[in-house]
Amino acid sequence: MQTMLSGIKPTGRLTLGNYIGAIRQFVEYQDEYEMYIFIANLHAITVAEDPAELKRNTKDLIALYLACGLDPKKVTLFLQSDVHQHAELGWILTCHTYMGELQRMTQYKDKTAKGETGITAGLFTYPCLMAADILMYDADYVPVGVDQKQHVELARDIAERFNNRYGETFRIPQPLTSKVGAKIYSLQNPTKKMSKSETNPKGTIDLLDDPAQARNKIKSAVTDSLGIIQYDPIEQPGISNLLTILSSLNGEAIESIVQRYQGKGYGELKKEVGDVVYQFLSNLQERYRAIMASGQIDAILKEGSEKASWIAEKKIRKVKKKIGFQIVK
Ligand code: ATP
Ligand code: LTN
């Protein structure tokens, strides 16, 4: 069985973009792959996080993973900080990564270009930690949204470099992005990614938003003045985004939705998308509340981290041996 791995940072509240771009794939593939899904809390502290908020977001994220349909019997679900080998391998891989490679990462470049101050060294080197997350478990595939593809490609380069220098150690991973919905855009600025850290709440749909409010956000989504419903992300990014959201949630092909809407107006499309989002969030939140009340989270994480630690320890021993840290046979 091939292996798949992915993680999400517990920063801010999860959005519909996170669900469509990432979590939906995890759920879809959990029967076919050996799956590792974790809460990337070591990554979360690359920016300043309030401890109480981090704690709340972490718990929410686990409950939402489960509410979205991840089955802990099929998936190894764990907190990154419970498996200390991630930090250890992260350091080793940092020493096998060039400054130039990290400087080329668009996420880092965007932040510096915007003139953001207070960028930590951790934010700069985090792709090395992400490579460690991936290579630790010999992942074949890493399901991510488009914005993370470059980091998975860097993990490949680091793995190849390491294998060439020390002999076969890591499997070479591949990013996996979905055909529809690899990037969901802000409802208010449909050329920008819908993001947990967006400041305008009308632009994002949080998975824990009040469903009626979420429906209103769809109603007030920015569109255009062409008046035709078609999939054209360049000329009609707002309408295309709504089509993508609808197709991702109801499973209908975008072409078929476009056919249905020939000669119809934007208001009708927004109504359908709004209703589908309303229903989706209502069902999801009902499951979320039941999971939060059930008290099962601790046991799931304990079991997940035990299994992950066992595999991680095997890998880190192998790596230490290869690089000459182990002096006794
Ligand atoms: P932030 O805005 O704080 O950077 P984020 O919303 O991008 O956070 P991450 O934790 O970085 O969230 O992402 C988790 C996963 O969700 C990643 O695989 C990422 O590619 C995916 N993802 C995030 N936003 C979107 C989006 N708008 N469309 C599709 N996929 C997304
Ligand atoms: N860096 C990613 C989260 C992340 C991840 C990973 C994703 C950390 N480690 C390993 C896939 C595989 C982010 O910021 N979204």
Side-chain angles (χ1 to χ4, degrees), residues 5-9 38 40 43 80 107 126 129-130 133-134 142-144 147-148 151-152:
L5 168 140
S6 198
I8 296 187
K9 289 177 293 179
F38 63 97
H43 292 262
Q80 190 185 22
Q107 232 182 21
Y126 103 81
L129 179 61
M130 180 160 162
D133 303 335
I134 297 168
V142 184
V144 283
D147 60 309
Q148 290 296 323
H151 294 145
V152 182

Coordinates of all heavy atoms in Angstrom, one line a residue, residues 5-9 38 40 43 80 107 126 129-130 133-134 142-144 147-148 151-152, ligand 2:
L5 N 0.6 11.6 3.1 CA 0.7 12.3 4.4 C 0.4 13.8 4.1 O 0.7 14.3 3.0 CB 2.2 12.2 4.8 CG 2.6 13.2 6.0 CD1 3.5 12.5 7.0 CD2 3.3 14.4 5.4
S6 N -0.2 14.4 5.1 CA -0.4 15.9 5.0 C -0.7 16.5 6.4 O -1.0 15.7 7.3 CB -1.6 16.2 4.1 OG -1.5 17.6 3.7
G7 N -0.5 17.8 6.5 CA -0.8 18.4 7.7 C -1.4 19.8 7.5 O -1.2 20.4 6.4
I8 N -2.0 20.3 8.6 CA -2.6 21.7 8.5 C -2.1 22.4 9.8 O -2.1 21.8 10.9 CB -4.1 21.7 8.4 CG1 -4.5 21.0 7.0 CG2 -4.7 23.1 8.5 CD1 -6.0 21.1 6.7
K9 N -1.8 23.7 9.6 CA -1.4 24.5 10.8 C -2.7 24.9 11.6 O -3.6 25.3 11.1 CB -0.8 25.8 10.4 CG 0.6 25.7 9.8 CD 1.1 27.0 9.3 CE 0.3 27.6 8.2 NZ 0.6 28.9 7.7
F38 N -1.6 15.1 10.3 CA -1.2 15.7 11.6 C -1.5 17.1 11.7 O -1.9 17.8 10.7 CB 0.3 15.4 11.9 CG 1.2 16.1 10.9 CD1 1.8 17.3 11.2 CD2 1.4 15.6 9.6 CE1 2.6 18.0 10.3 CE2 2.3 16.2 8.7 CZ 2.8 17.4 9.1
A40 N 0.0 20.6 12.4 CA 1.3 21.1 12.2 C 1.5 22.2 13.2 O 1.7 23.4 12.8 CB 1.5 21.6 10.8
H43 N 4.8 24.3 13.0 CA 4.7 25.3 12.0 C 3.9 26.5 12.4 O 4.2 27.6 11.9 CB 4.1 24.7 10.7 CG 4.9 23.6 10.0 ND1 5.7 23.9 9.0 CD2 5.1 22.3 10.3 CE1 6.4 22.8 8.6 NE2 6.0 21.8 9.4
Q80 N 1.9 17.1 15.8 CA 3.3 17.1 15.4 C 4.2 17.2 16.6 O 5.3 16.5 16.7 CB 3.5 18.3 14.4 CG 4.9 18.3 13.8 CD 5.0 19.6 13.0 OE1 4.4 20.6 13.2 NE2 5.9 19.6 12.0
Q107 N 6.1 31.8 -0.8 CA 5.4 32.3 0.5 C 6.3 33.2 1.2 O 5.8 34.3 1.7 CB 5.0 31.1 1.3 CG 3.6 31.1 1.7 CD 3.2 29.9 2.6 OE1 4.1 29.3 3.3 NE2 1.9 29.6 2.6
Y126 N 11.1 27.0 7.6 CA 10.0 26.0 7.8 C 9.9 25.0 6.7 O 9.5 23.9 6.9 CB 8.7 26.7 8.3 CG 7.6 26.8 7.2 CD1 6.8 25.7 6.9 CD2 7.4 28.0 6.6 CE1 5.8 25.9 6.0 CE2 6.4 28.2 5.7 CZ 5.6 27.1 5.4 OH 4.6 27.2 4.5
L129 N 11.5 21.9 7.8 CA 10.7 21.1 8.7 C 9.6 20.4 8.0 O 9.3 19.2 8.3 CB 10.2 22.1 9.8 CG 9.3 21.4 10.9 CD1 10.1 20.4 11.7 CD2 8.7 22.5 11.8
M130 N 9.0 21.0 7.0 CA 8.0 20.4 6.2 C 8.5 19.2 5.5 O 7.9 18.2 5.4 CB 7.3 21.4 5.3 CG 6.2 20.9 4.5 SD 5.2 22.2 3.8 CE 4.4 21.3 2.5
D133 N 8.7 16.4 7.9 CA 7.4 15.8 8.1 C 7.1 14.8 7.0 O 6.6 13.7 7.3 CB 6.3 16.9 8.0 CG 6.4 18.0 9.0 OD1 7.1 17.8 10.0 OD2 5.9 19.1 8.7
I134 N 7.4 15.1 5.8 CA 7.0 14.3 4.7 C 8.0 13.1 4.5 O 7.5 11.9 4.4 CB 7.1 15.1 3.4 CG1 6.1 16.3 3.4 CG2 6.9 14.3 2.1 CD1 6.2 17.3 2.3
V142 N 1.6 13.7 -1.3 CA 1.3 14.7 -0.3 C 0.1 15.6 -0.9 O 0.3 16.5 -1.7 CB 2.5 15.6 0.0 CG1 2.2 16.6 1.1 CG2 3.7 14.8 0.4
P143 N -1.1 15.3 -0.4 CA -2.3 16.1 -0.9 C -2.2 17.5 -0.3 O -2.3 17.7 0.9 CB -3.5 15.3 -0.5 CG -3.0 14.5 0.6 CD -1.6 14.3 0.5
V144 N -2.1 18.5 -1.1 CA -2.1 19.9 -0.7 C -2.8 20.8 -1.7 O -3.0 20.5 -2.8 CB -0.6 20.5 -0.5 CG1 0.1 19.9 0.7 CG2 0.2 20.1 -1.8
D147 N -0.9 26.3 -3.3 CA 0.1 27.2 -2.6 C 1.2 26.4 -1.9 O 2.3 27.0 -1.7 CB -0.6 28.1 -1.6 CG -1.3 27.4 -0.5 OD1 -2.1 26.5 -0.9 OD2 -1.1 27.7 0.6
Q148 N 1.0 25.1 -1.7 CA 2.0 24.3 -0.9 C 2.9 23.4 -1.8 O 3.8 22.8 -1.4 CB 1.4 23.5 0.1 CG 0.8 24.3 1.3 CD 1.9 25.0 2.1 OE1 3.0 24.5 2.3 NE2 1.6 26.2 2.5
H151 N 6.7 23.7 -1.8 CA 7.4 23.2 -0.7 C 7.5 21.7 -0.8 O 8.5 21.1 -0.3 CB 6.6 23.5 0.6 CG 6.5 25.0 0.9 ND1 5.5 25.6 1.5 CD2 7.4 26.0 0.7 CE1 5.7 26.9 1.6 NE2 6.9 27.1 1.2
V152 N 6.6 21.0 -1.4 CA 6.7 19.6 -1.6 C 7.8 19.3 -2.6 O 8.6 18.3 -2.5 CB 5.4 18.9 -2.0 CG1 5.5 17.4 -2.1 CG2 4.2 19.2 -1.0
Ligands
LTN2 N1 3.3 24.0 5.6 C1 1.9 23.6 5.4 C2 1.4 22.7 6.5 C3 2.3 21.5 6.5 C4 2.3 20.4 5.7 C5 3.3 19.6 6.1 C6 1.5 20.1 4.6 C7 3.3 21.3 7.4 N2 3.9 20.1 7.2 C8 3.6 18.4 5.5 C9 1.8 18.9 3.9 C10 2.9 18.0 4.4 C11 1.1 24.9 5.4 O1 1.6 25.9 5.8 N3 -0.1 24.8 4.9

